[in-house]
Amino acid sequence: MKSGLFITFEGVDGSGKSTQLRRAVQYIRQRGHRVVVTREPGGTRTGERVRDILLASKTGKLAPLAELALMYAARAQVLEEVVRPALARGEVVVSDRYNTASFAYQGYGRQLGTPTVRAFDRVICGSTQPDLTIILDIDPERARGRALGDARRGSHLDRIEAASLAFHKRVRAGYLAIARRAPERIKLVCAEQSIDELQNQIRALIEPLLARRNRNSKLETRKS
Ligand code: TYD
């Protein structure tokens, strides 16, 4: 059975993750791989509607468990519609956030704890876990400065971005703890360097996985 490659990008709000993701996707395509790009919460029609509920300020106070359940509802949908079919076709899937965000934001940030998030994860994600997760690490106070800068330029802070600094500090501490527990699969990169330097580091993390895919597909061609 064909099996693709699943890469996810993570980080606190304002870490510059989306810019880096776009450039990484360009790079993977230039290397000749088919890439499907998605994001969470969202990535499907239904998931984007769930995203609206999750991020709209007018949603008001959402119970932490309701927030977690909605994150996983959107995730179940994108897994079914987008991620698993693409992986089964042998393609590369790059997602702007995935389950590590739930462990960091809801597990640590909202203080629901890892076992509660894991219970959802076992049912919804199961064995569909990323081959590589890249976390862009930055001090939330400095990242917040960037987000506020964006807000002044016209995009307003969403419901989760607007949460307290203490919340965002717990999220960051969560990401650091998660990365320490699975260093072979989850990589931390410092987001406070130039866009080009950061992109070079990210490419160096992705490259061995692409090389392995190329070797495997050559072996398969030889066999057939
Ligand atoms: P994102 O799209 O990365 O926000 P932005 O485009 O503003 O960088 O993520 C939306 C928000 O949802 C972000 O604050 C993180 C949060 N989030 C969670 O709290 N849990 C999750 O499981 C996911 C996927 C996202």
Side-chain angles (χ1 to χ4, degrees), residues 63-130:
L65 265 176
E67 187 176 273
L68 178 67
L70 287 173
M71 292 292 174
Y72 271 96
R75 185 160 300 137
Q77 193 69 28
V78 80
L79 276 165
E80 164 95 15
E81 274 187 42
V82 181
V83 177
R84 286 189 179 124
L87 293 175
R89 293 193 300 269
E91 296 175 4
V92 180
V93 176
V94 177
S95 186
D96 192 337
R97 298 192 188 280
Y98 185 58
N99 56 355
T100 305
S102 297
F103 284 96
Y105 279 79
Q106 281 69 49
Y108 285 82
R110 301 288 189 216
Q111 298 178 298
L112 287 172
T114 300
T116 299
V117 183
R118 194 172 287 135
F120 277 84
D121 207 76
R122 284 222 172 97
V123 176
I124 309 262
C125 301
S127 63
T128 313
Q129 300 294 331

Side-chain angles (χ1 to χ4, degrees), residues 10-32:
E10 300 275 359
V12 295
D13 295 283
S15 58
K17 159 180 66 63
S18 303
T19 308
Q20 292 297 335
L21 179 147
R22 261 196 310 277
R23 294 185 54 173
V25 167
Q26 267 174 8
Y27 171 71
I28 301 169
R29 287 196 172 126
Q30 277 161 12
R31 299 285 318 272

